[in-house]
Amino acid sequence: MPEEDQARILTPADRRRRQRAAALAFSLFLACVLAALAATVLAVNNGRNFERLVRQVGLEDYLLAAPPALRIDRQRRQPPASRFPPWLLRAGLERMALFEKAATFSAEERCNLLRTEKGTQPTFTTSDDGWECLIFEEFDTSPEPASFFIQARGGLPDTFRNFRLKFSLTNSLTETVVLNEAIAAMQRFDLPMAPETRAYLAEKLSARVEFTSTSENYWMAFRQEIIDKRRYNLVILPLPQTITCGDPALPSPDSANRPIYGMTVGCLSLQPTPPQPEPASSPPSLFPAG
């Protein structure tokens, strides 16, 4: 037999050595892949996963850098964000307040205030558990007349639940008239709102700008209908009152993750005072100046 054929014959010991070398190479390759995968997982989110792992094993004092020392510098005045309402930015932190006793209306009286200049009278109905106020007015005689519709509902006794305003701008010649009449009727309904909130609503409706907002004690949404782009809907819902004067504040459900600052809320009881002579241009005030 030639010497070349004898050299190709492997003994059992040679086979075991080759198998161990192959297994070692595969193990090193697999370890490198797993190490790269673990490093990728720990490095994502700016290394937050690595920080969590270090804190869980209790090695933050050795593997994490010490936080920088707190430095308190002089506060710099930052420009206001453009998303803030202009009227909120104009208001000063300290200003004189004028408290007035708001007029109270029953649900039927408030509904009657929706009567338009054309003489369209609203409809007020009551049931066992609530009341409803409706008014609808058209502005032309076309097959699809421009119009507005108001629906207000509440419970007894005179508890407000929801307010809906819908107007249809199907005639370009009467768009301004319909908007002005709808906004005026909404203002006459006299929901308890600040003048700035009323001006905000009127501005958005006039410009037909969609929005969703939580203002004062209301949740409001103004949307254009998907099917007919000429029709718009405004919905105003009162937010539920979760605490009354004198009750302790309820703890936050996520108090472990959010800081809580205790604040005292005072309840001011306004008492009517005898009228005092004032200039005709000044509104009646319950608190004299000074």
Side-chain angles (χ1 to χ4, degrees), residues 19-272:
Q19 291 175 356
R20 284 195 296 268
L24 180 60
F26 177 76
S27 300
L28 291 176
F29 174 76
L30 182 61
C32 293
V33 172
L34 294 178
L37 181 60
T40 303
V41 173
L42 295 176
V44 296
N45 296 331
N46 296 327
R48 294 179 182 175
N49 294 337
F50 175 73
E51 294 180 1
R52 293 193 188 100
L53 178 62
V54 171
R55 288 191 173 90
Q56 286 180 357
V57 299
L59 298 176
E60 60 271 15
D61 295 337
Y62 305 97
L63 299 180
L64 296 182
L70 180 61
R71 179 181 176 182
I72 302 177
D73 292 333
R74 185 175 181 181
Q75 185 178 6
R76 298 179 180 179
R77 178 172 296 181
Q78 300 292 338
S82 58
R83 65 179 182 271
F84 293 157
W87 61 267
L88 180 60
L89 299 179
R90 288 196 302 265
L93 294 179
E94 296 181 0
R95 62 177 182 179
M96 296 183 61
L98 178 64
F99 295 91
E100 297 179 353
K101 186 177 181 180
T104 56
F105 297 99
S106 64
E108 186 173 4
E109 291 173 342
R110 182 174 282 110
C111 182
N112 292 332
L113 295 175
L114 292 177
R115 184 177 182 271
T116 63
E117 296 181 357
K118 294 183 179 181
T120 304
Q121 192 70 22
T123 303
F124 182 80
T125 57
T126 59
S127 59
D128 294 337
D129 59 348
W131 54 266
E132 183 180 52
C133 178
L134 304 174
I135 185 171
F136 175 75
E137 184 167 356
E138 297 180 344
F139 292 85
D140 56 73
T141 57
S142 61
E144 288 184 316
S147 62
F148 79 84
F149 169 74
I150 292 179
Q151 178 190 49
R153 290 179 176 177
L156 299 177
D158 300 340
T159 303
F160 171 68
R161 289 179 182 169
N162 62 72
F163 179 90
R164 179 187 177 193
L165 167 63
K166 177 175 182 177
F167 54 85
S168 303
L169 306 178
T170 56
N171 189 342
S172 58
L173 300 177
T174 58
E175 286 186 1
T176 305
V177 177
V178 175
L179 284 172
N180 292 338
E181 287 288 343
I183 295 173
M186 180 189 65
Q187 303 282 17
R188 288 196 301 271
F189 192 71
D190 196 26
L191 288 176
M193 290 183 182
E196 293 84 359
T197 304
R198 296 182 183 276
Y200 173 80
L201 278 175
E203 178 184 356
K204 294 298 183 182
L205 266 63
S206 299
R208 280 164 276 179
V209 177
E210 296 186 350
F211 73 92
T212 301
S213 176
T214 301
S215 178
E216 300 183 35
N217 296 325
Y218 302 99
W219 179 87
M220 302 178 290
F222 180 59
R223 290 288 183 268
Q224 186 181 36
E225 289 190 0
I226 300 177
I227 300 177
D228 193 342
K229 300 298 183 180
R230 301 171 300 176
R231 306 180 191 276
Y232 297 82
N233 289 279
L234 171 68
V235 178
I236 301 177
L237 302 177
L239 297 177
Q241 186 176 1
T242 58
I243 191 170
T244 58
C245 293
D247 294 342
L250 299 177
S252 175
D254 54 348
S255 58
N257 299 325
R258 294 180 55 189
I260 300 178
Y261 301 94
M263 300 181 65
T264 302
V265 179
C267 301
L268 179 62
S269 177
L270 299 181
Q271 302 293 335

